[in-house]
Structures are given as C-alpha cells and as structure tokens.
Amino acid sequence: MKFIKPLFVASAVLLVTPSCDVLTQLPNMTTNLPLSEAEVSAGLKEALTVGIRNAVTQTSATDGYYGNSLIKIPFPEEAQRVKTTLTNLGLNSLIDDFEESMNHAAEQASKKATDIFVDAITKMTINDAMGILNGADDAATQYLKRTTENQLISEFEPIINSALQQGNVTQYWTDITTKYNQIPFVEPVQTDLTGYVTERAIDGLFVMVAQEEKEIRENPQARINDILKRVFGSLDSPQI
C-alpha cells in the first residue's frame, strides 16, 4: 500500500484551505483533535534542531569533511593549474597534506554551528514555520542559510584561520605557491586561503543540513520523538 509523503499532503492542505481552516485539516493521531499552528511550529522547530545537531555531529567529527566526498574541500579551483603542475613534478605528498589540513580546519570550525542554528530556530515565527511546511523540499535549509550565513562566516573565519596556522596549512600553501611561482613563465598565484576554506566549510555544512531535512520529511524512521510523529506522521494517509 502506498502512502503520500507528509509534506506533500500538508502542502495540498495549505494551498486549498483558507488559513482559518488549516487547523482542522491536521489531525492529532493521539487525541483526534486538530493540531494548532503553534504545535506545527513546535514540531518543525524540533525537526530542525534534530537535523542540525545530526549535521554538525557529522561535519565536526574527525574526517567529517575530508572523508566525505560530498563536502570534501578540494584544492582551490582558481589554483588547479598549481596542483597539476606540482603533481607533474612529483610533489603529491605536499598537495595531499595541504588538502587534508584544510578539511580538518573546517571540521574544527563547524563545531560552532550548533548554537548559531539553534538561535535562528528559536527566533522562527509561526509564519516562518508554516512557510517551511508549505515550501520546497529544502525550505528549512534555505531559511537557515538566510538567517545564519553572515554569523557563520564571522564565527568560522577566526577558527579556520587559527586552525590553518596550527596545522601548518598556511605554511603548506606558502611552500606550494612559492615552488609554483618559481617555475619560469607561470602566472603567480595568490589566494585568500582562509576565505576559501570558510566558504567551502559553510557550503558543506548546508549540504549536510539539507540531507537531514530531506530525511525527516521523507523517512518515518527519522521522526524520533512524539512531536515529529504528530506533525509529519499524522499526515500520512492511504493513497486512494
């Protein structure tokens, strides 16, 4: 027997039902009473909190970036010619050390994300929550990106800069660019390494947050507590 995905059902309800009648369309599995907008908001906040904690746990673990092909931070794109040239010169180990250290810096910084995300979730209004419920599959992720990206940059940059220094990444980069720039007739390379790693670290974090959002929306097994089951699971119904 097929079941309609809960967010699709919710979207249909919100699109065809006046706002004053929305509450009567979301039954409570336990009590058979309608869910209020406040309960829907609480459920979505809980869903986001669960999701971001899972995402940050993954990214901040050892090799959370370096071992994940989806978010691993690669050699700077604008300096790919440097990587190619140095690889041809047999300097692969220097490049490997550099890439690994960049990713470990991102893993350290991502630990700061939880408090920033939780603060944004706490400030979410009921209108925000209902918009997410009725929005695209990544509506919650986009909400977090809008409301936290600037603060994430501010928090991540000093941590990443410090980690790059401690992990000798800056020295690796100096060694790499120095060797490259000494090659006759090449165009010298200069890259804002801290800015690059910060940007890619935040991008990777949101990739993982989006995965968590998708999981909670689509997988009943991911609804790990009663309030999530009420908001999402109670909307599952047999397809007629």
Side-chain angles (χ1 to χ4, degrees):
M1 179 180 297
K2 291 186 177 181
F3 289 83
I4 299 174
K5 291 177 183 177
L7 262 291
F8 291 164
V9 177
S11 299
V13 168
L14 292 171
L15 287 171
V16 303
T17 309
S19 58
C20 61
D21 294 330
V22 165
L23 307 184
T24 65
Q25 305 302 316
L26 300 173
N28 179 326
M29 282 181 68
T30 305
T31 65
N32 291 322
L33 294 175
L35 286 170
S36 68
E37 287 185 341
E39 287 175 307
V40 172
S41 175
L44 287 171
K45 287 182 179 183
E46 182 66 17
L48 285 177
T49 301
V50 170
I52 63 97
R53 290 188 188 282
N54 288 342
V56 173
T57 295
Q58 293 177 66
T59 58
S60 62
T62 301
D63 291 337
Y65 280 82
Y66 190 63
N68 186 338
S69 61
L70 284 176
I71 62 173
K72 180 180 177 181
I73 301 174
F75 206 91
E77 292 176 6
E78 65 271 26
Q80 280 299 314
R81 66 184 185 277
V82 179
K83 180 177 181 179
T84 300
T85 302
L86 295 181
T87 299
N88 292 337
L89 293 174
L91 298 173
N92 304 66
S93 61
L94 183 62
I95 293 169
D96 291 342
D97 288 342
F98 170 71
E99 289 187 337
E100 182 174 358
S101 298
M102 277 196 307
N103 282 273
H104 291 331
E107 289 154 14
Q108 289 186 41
S110 70
K111 296 174 184 178
K112 280 285 188 180
T114 300
D115 289 344
I116 296 172
F117 282 149
V118 169
D119 181 61
I121 291 167
T122 300
K123 294 175 180 176
M124 181 188 295
T125 66
I126 288 178
N127 285 340
D128 290 331
M130 299 306 290
I132 289 170
L133 183 67
N134 193 33
D137 288 347
D138 66 342
T141 302
Q142 292 305 317
Y143 167 83
L144 287 174
K145 192 168 186 178
R146 287 195 309 274
T147 57
T148 67
E149 190 168 32
N150 289 339
Q151 190 176 357
L152 287 171
I153 292 171
S154 296
E155 292 286 345
F156 275 36
E157 277 190 338
I159 297 171
I160 286 175
N161 185 58
S162 177
L164 292 177
Q165 297 286 346
Q166 293 173 9
N168 294 322
V169 186
T170 304
Q171 187 59 52
Y172 288 138
W173 184 239
T174 299
D175 292 345
I176 287 170
T177 55
T178 297
K179 288 180 183 297
Y180 179 80
N181 291 340
Q182 288 173 348
I183 299 171
F185 309 115
V186 301
E187 181 181 348
V189 169
Q190 294 179 339
T191 297
D192 176 7
L193 197 58
T194 297
Y196 170 73
V197 176
T198 299
E199 179 181 354
R200 295 304 292 260
I202 292 172
D203 287 347
L205 180 61
F206 280 116
V207 167
M208 301 308 293
V209 170
Q211 281 195 338
E212 290 296 325
E213 178 179 3
K214 185 177 187 332
E215 182 75 0
I216 292 172
R217 284 179 182 270
E218 296 183 357
N219 182 7
Q221 298 298 320
R223 302 165 196 163
I224 62 174
N225 55 39
D226 289 342
I227 198 161
L228 290 181
K229 291 174 183 176
R230 289 182 65 198
V231 173
F232 292 100
S234 66
L235 298 178
D236 289 334
S237 60
Q239 185 174 11
I240 298 174

